[in-house]
Amino acid sequence: MKINVLTLFPDMFTPLQVSMLGRALEDKKWDLNLVNFRDFTTDVHHHVDDTPYGGGAGMVLQIMPIKKALDSLEKKGKVIITAPQGKTFNQKMAKRWADEEQDLTFICGHYEGFDQRVYEMADEVVSIGDYVLTGGELPTMSMIDATVRLLPGVLGNSASAVEESFSHGLLEYPQYTRPAEFEGMKVPEVLMSGNHGKIAEWRLKEALRNTLLRRPDLLENREFTPEESKLLTEIKLELENKN
Ligand code: ADE
């Protein structure tokens, strides 16, 4: 997958070039093309924004440099604008992009909004949540990370197993490693029992418990297996007995 990013701050993108994603970049599992759309301005001061028609505070990013930067790309693929008014990004979207798209192009704004005609050049407007950041760079990096880690050969086996569990629609179960006891805090017995059936059941139950307590919305439209229904009943009883 080739990912183009149109940004005024290409230097911000180092986090995608280290660790797992950096190695995958070196191994050509994906490709990152950072384009500074200020390079496509034609005036002496290299302006990328101007005051809004109709008046009002703030500045608006102009269409011309962004359109020229888009036209300079070999292949655009799906064009995505990151903005708080977009639909909210999620794991499903990352999976769809990873599975179905050859190329992606992100357009990052900074401080100010885009001329409406820029939105009209995009295939999707996507937000990372109901809060406002100073620019589209961090949202773009989050979306790229979530998408690229799903591409074949980017993660090792151990990490893809972690992925599995979120795509089953539940939050993670708790994990522990040595020591078995630290300052009185103990690892649950069952995990050291060697009984794989019991361990799997405990993990499913704790994933259900975490989801029920922190993200009950994820359980709303879920079809439960008989085992999940039984465990959920147990969890609810345990919670009632605690109160
Ligand atoms: N740009 C500024 N805030 C944003 C957000 N929450 N999501 C996507 N892009 C943004």
Side-chain angles (χ1 to χ4, degrees), residues 4 45 47-48 64 73 95 107 112 117 127 134 139 146 148 153 174 178 197 215 217-218:
N4 305 293
H45 297 295
H47 281 134
V48 289
M64 190 278 280
L73 301 174
K95 181 80 180 129
I107 307 177
E112 52 229 324
R117 292 164 291 186
S127 163
T134 53
V148 169
R178 275 177 277 273
R215 291 290 308 276
D217 57 299
L218 293 178

Side-chain angles (χ1 to χ4, degrees), residues 19-21 23-24 29 91 145-164:
S19 184
M20 288 259 200
L21 298 189
R23 205 167 318 129
K29 305 282 186 210
Q91 188 69 23
D145 186 312
T147 305
V148 169
R149 66 186 287 283
L150 300 179
L151 295 175
V154 171
L155 294 187
N157 283 342
S158 55
S160 27
V162 174
E163 158 57 18
E164 284 275 279

Side-chain angles (χ1 to χ4, degrees), residues 197-213:
K198 282 258 175 282
I199 292 171
E201 183 182 87
W202 181 87
R203 287 181 165 164
L204 176 59
K205 185 170 178 179
E206 296 316 307
L208 282 163
R209 191 194 310 275
N210 278 343
T211 312
L212 181 70
L213 291 175

